[in-house]
Amino acid sequence: MTTNSLRVRYAPSPTGHLHIGGARTALFDYLLARASGGAFIIRFEDTDQTRHQESGIGNQLDGLKWLGLDWDESVDVGGPYGPYRQMERLHLYQQYVDQMLDQGSAYRCFCSELDLEQERSEQEAQGEMTGYSGKCRHLTKEQAAAFEAEGRKPSIRFLVPADRIIAFEDKVRGHVEFDSNGIGDFIMVRPDGIPTYNFAVIVDDHLMKINLVLRGEEHLSNTPRQIIMYEALRLPVPEFAHLALILNQDRKKMSKRDESILQFIQQYNELGYLPEAVVNFIALLGWSPQGEEEIFTLEELIEQFDLDRVSKSPAVFDMDKLNWMNNLYLKKTALERVVELSLPHLQKAGYISADPDASTMEWVTALVGINQERMRFAAEIVELSALFFKEELIVDEEARAILSEEHVPIVLRAFLEQVHQSDELTVQGMPELLKNVQKETGFKGKQLFMSIRAALTGQVHGPDLNVSLYLLGKEKIAARLEKLL
Ligand code: GLU
């Protein structure tokens, strides 16, 4: 790999499961890296120990794996620029702190939380803009020593230069600029010696040779802070691309509590979505392909994805579209795989035992087979197949109308007789059985099939009748017809 090939990173704070927003950032990183022969790196930003969850690391990686992504460097696969979690990199930051302190671009600040709070309320009382006043900028050596003697531990603040316009060309948003006067001196290292996000991120991105930083728009206002630190250290500044927000169906900002959409990748896994459909859907959250086609494999996405076609306006998360897309993928998926996805849901519902035998599996395969076209995700199999499990049959209005017709009892009686006479109901044997009913009663076509369907499924429409009858089985058919007659 040449030194100037693309190096991109996804840098989650491991606070929980993989969120749809994080998954999108990771996917876009991955697509760019794979298309260019570059490297995709996952780095964990765990310096905020109050929000850190150890399981978060595994959860993030599991989510990405489920989506079908892989990476070149991270905590699990290693790499030349590790370690890949910040709490294991603490020894790497000091050199840059020292450099900044020496050259006067950072200083020690001894203000306590209480001092800062006081300062803030004074500013508020005066009607001034709140923010750190920079009062520790000019401490003398003696003053600093006195504070240290008191046992105060300093934080390190970056000295933000006044009157600077900090500008950059964002690969998504175009020209962006900030006035440095709107940025107070910010903390780079907390009193406990742990770097803050803004500082750690520039050191790591530099040491890991990241040359494109792709992330969510919520980090846009951090970017000028990062740029002035790169500049103070005379380090090359990477390129940036900030992805617009993902809004919920009501076009409002998503909150973690929002239940109108599934926000975590884990939930899609649990409900039996297909990862390739979820990836396809996520790719379209902000990116628009060149033509009309919207259905892409990961390989095709690698080929087609282009940052130039990523929108700077927010994307709207449309759950119906995702369900439509997943259904489209499910229909094209091999039946065995759909069965595999569906089985755990039938088991969880208590419909199928933990260790099904071959004939049960044959039955399940037929069940999934007649529902494959309709299913939006595998968990729906439970609802779609309730008819075959529930004792109580719900008969809808149309079916009730059919059942009140005169010929119905005749047909049903003859059919019940046929069922009693056969050893076993099979899909293949069903046409002959129905033929016998026809011969005996003289009723055929709609009059024959509709009566049986309405009586046994409570509906006039539904999947293949032969398969439905096989799935119901002798006992259920007999019980339902006897009750009805
Ligand atoms: N740790 C940050 C987050 O999870 C990443 C920000 C970045 O990519 O620079 O939001």
Side-chain angles (χ1 to χ4, degrees), residues 108-116 135-136 143-155 191:
R108 291 186 178 80
C109 167
F110 289 89
C111 294
S112 64
E113 276 302 319
L114 198 70
D115 295 334
L116 296 174
K135 72 180 176 195
C136 288
Q143 286 170 309
F147 279 132
E148 302 229 21
E150 269 176 41
R152 287 206 193 195
K153 287 231 179 318
S155 46

Side-chain angles (χ1 to χ4, degrees), residues 192-205:
D192 60 7
I194 296 182
T196 58
Y197 157 70
N198 272 312
F199 175 54
V201 85
I202 66 137
V203 173
D204 289 344
D205 283 343

Side-chain angles (χ1 to χ4, degrees), residues 9 11-13 43 45 197 201 205 213-215 218-219 226:
R9 89 298 193 274
S13 303
R43 176 181 72 229
E45 307 210 314
Y197 157 70
V201 85
D205 283 343
V213 169
L214 188 116
R215 60 189 171 202
E218 64 277 17
H219 287 292
Q226 295 170 14

